[in-house]
Amino acid sequence: MSDIIAQLEAKRAEAYMGGGQKRIDKQHAQGKLTARERVEVLLDENSFEELGMYVEHNCVDFGMEKNKIPGDGVVTGSGTINGRLVFVFSQDFTVFGGSLSERHAEKICKVMDNAMKVGAPVIGINDSGGARIQEGVASLGGYAEVFQRNVLASGVVPQLSLIMGPCAGGAVYSPAMTDFIFMVKDSSYMFVTGPDVVKTVTNEVVTQEELGGAITHSTKTSVADVAYENDIEALLAARDFIDFMPLSNREDVPERPTADPWDRMEESLDMLIPANANQPYDIHEVISKMVDEGDFFEVQPKHAANIICGFGRIEGKTVGVVANQPMVLAGVLDINSSKKAARFVRYCDAFNIPIITLVDVPGFLPGTAQEHNGIIKHGAKLLFAYAEATVPKITIITRKAYGGAYDVMASKHLRGDLNYAWPTAEIAVMGAKGAVEIIFRGKTPEEIAEHTAEYEARFANPFVAAQKGFVDEVIMPHSTRKRVALGLRKLRNKELENPWKKHDNIPL
Ligand code: HXC
């Protein structure tokens, strides 16, 4: 018996060493943790239960039959984050460069299948040279098996990807189909074809970092949601993030005890809106004063910052917040902000997370760049997402709600459950000056000024919309948190279903 136990321990020790000390040292020298170290930081202490530690590849080409490492380049299993179950796979770059073999893929698929069976999030830690070159098409098949599961799991269990090393070729498409992607600056990258191929095909010279590093993807492309300084920061952020998430679409949002009074008044919000309608203010202030303890997890903070999307809590329960940001492009809706918010709204709806929308929007961004790049189709994404969402929707118009953008931003007409306005709200087809210049074309500047003042007095307020019932109540800014909390209590048992269909046809 003791021999068998010794054998088991030896086998475990071998698996723990992955590709060996030299390769582990190389990983550390690059500022990266190993696959197992990452899992340890991510999960609660001693909660990780590894499965598939002894899986080996089945390749017999290129002398691979003599080169087998237990685990085959990916550490898989489950554990807890603050006591809640999650499933994890973590690619081990020290073993064949974390490359994906048929067996490696099978291990990932097993994790995903188990997560789907019980309803718990999947967190994938990616650090891989891509398809295991020695295995050829078997590896490609493995990728496709993972892709298929990503799609089936979408909207059923939350899927989070952490990119902590190379992620290239078709391999990028698995993370791309997950809900959120966190990257690490200077040590991770994602691209379909790397700098060498780019140079050959297009003659462009570009570094890995510029082409597909964390900054590129979290600012320009929006492929990644957040860029972190190092592995530890990203892993700790993932823990915070998972705390906001329901385990699956069958579960309620988690509840975290809070000492923050549900009816906390924020007098300073009464003074937030500047007297001049063209002067910006930071909508973050409203968000942080509205949510529990000011705790807000923003996604894509560096991309399309004219709209803010993120998770907070009210009375301990997760909410999704979408807010136009007057500090950036006056909070206008453009292609990027529409796409960003549409995806966020659909995520919240899929996982029963109520949506709080803060509106201060001057309209859609004009110009040939926007029109020729399809603002019609992309703007429609956000409209579609809000209109199909059946979760509780509470909307607060803080200042401008102009034109089509008024309709889009979770208006009453798109089944907003509670639509509030601050007294500073201006709900109109467009700004007063623009409107008057159209209606009174050819008038003198003095006449225009006079009519503008008239138009402002008539329309630059929330009461016309309130008279029509498009706004349920004009509320004091200081009572925003209380009104939202009361609203969410009321909407807790909301039931609303869309007509049966195979699926909708959102303008992709
Ligand atoms: C097998 C691989 C591998 C791979 C790396 N290794 N990539 N083994 N298959 N795809 C091995 C190396 O042989 C090496 O083994 C170890 O991993 C570390 O690799 P290095 O090159 O020493 O590391 P580094 O200098 O950091 O470079 C990392 C790298 C480079 C940029 C990822 O290894 C690389 O370019 N690899 C090939 C990438 C690639 O072309 N993959 C296929 C893409 S096509 P030793 O024994 O020396 O430690 C693809 C299609 C997917 O993925 C399609 C899905 C639909």
Side-chain angles (χ1 to χ4, degrees), residues 5-189:
I5 289 173
Q7 265 179 33
L8 174 66
E9 277 173 357
K11 267 199 164 302
R12 273 194 184 156
E14 191 190 348
Y16 280 138
M17 284 310 287
Q21 195 58 49
K22 229 170 87 190
R23 292 189 183 91
I24 293 174
D25 292 344
K26 189 175 165 197
Q27 182 90 345
H28 286 160
Q30 290 173 335
K32 293 159 69 179
L33 298 179
T34 65
R36 281 200 172 74
E37 287 165 349
R38 287 168 175 161
V39 170
E40 268 169 37
V41 177
L42 177 70
L43 300 178
D44 296 339
E45 211 176 337
N46 297 324
S47 74
F48 182 52
E49 197 181 0
E50 185 169 349
L51 297 178
M53 189 191 278
Y54 311 111
V55 169
E56 292 174 349
H57 68 72
N58 55 359
C59 179
V60 290
D61 294 309
F62 305 103
M64 285 294 277
E65 66 281 5
K66 292 189 228 79
N67 189 7
K68 297 194 175 196
I69 298 175
D72 203 28
V74 62
V75 177
T76 54
S78 60
T80 57
I81 291 182
N82 289 323
R84 299 166 72 235
L85 180 66
V86 294
F87 285 80
V88 184
F89 67 86
S90 178
Q91 291 180 313
D92 186 348
F93 193 81
T94 70
V95 178
F96 309 121
S99 59
L100 186 135
S101 68
E102 189 178 3
R103 288 276 161 80
H104 177 126
E106 281 169 9
K107 286 182 70 176
I108 294 177
C109 290
K110 211 189 233 182
V111 163
M112 297 180 75
D113 291 343
N114 286 338
M116 286 287 278
K117 235 184 285 175
V118 302
V122 179
I123 303 171
I125 302 176
N126 297 259
D127 188 359
S128 166
R132 177 87 47 90
I133 292 166
Q134 296 89 334
E135 288 202 13
V137 72
S139 162
L140 300 185
Y143 270 118
E145 296 284 341
V146 176
F147 298 160
Q148 179 66 65
R149 282 166 179 77
N150 286 132
V151 174
L152 295 180
S154 181
V156 180
V157 294
Q159 300 180 79
L160 171 63
S161 297
L162 302 175
I163 314 295
M164 301 196 144
C167 185
V172 293
Y173 286 109
S174 173
M177 288 191 290
T178 63
D179 298 305
F180 295 95
I181 299 181
F182 296 172
M183 290 183 77
V184 177
K185 289 181 198 167
D186 302 322
S187 64
S188 72
Y189 52 84

Side-chain angles (χ1 to χ4, degrees), residues 27 65 99 104 117 138 170-171 222 287 303 325 340 360 380 459:
Q27 182 90 345
E65 66 281 5
S99 59
H104 177 126
K117 235 184 285 175
S222 84
I287 299 171
H303 174 79
Q325 169 59 293
K340 170 179 164 180
D360 187 347
F459 294 111

Side-chain angles (χ1 to χ4, degrees), residues 260-294:
D260 199 351
W262 67 276
D263 56 355
R264 171 170 46 78
M265 295 290 150
E266 284 291 350
E267 308 296 338
S268 61
L269 291 182
D270 293 345
M271 310 299 292
L272 181 68
I273 305 295
N276 177 349
N278 295 324
Q279 203 176 317
Y281 62 95
D282 191 353
I283 199 79
H284 276 115
E285 192 174 335
V286 184
I287 299 171
S288 61
K289 288 180 173 162
M290 179 177 72
V291 297
D292 292 353
E293 288 140 29

Side-chain angles (χ1 to χ4, degrees), residues 371-411:
E371 297 289 351
H372 293 175
N373 285 302
I375 181 69
I376 297 174
K377 185 170 266 190
H378 299 299
K381 290 182 170 130
L382 183 55
L383 173 55
F384 200 109
Y386 267 125
E388 71 175 344
T390 55
V391 285
K393 292 187 279 197
I394 300 181
T395 305
I396 300 141
I397 301 172
T398 57
R399 189 167 62 175
K400 296 170 197 167
Y402 291 166
Y406 153 75
D407 281 339
V408 170
M409 295 301 297
S411 64

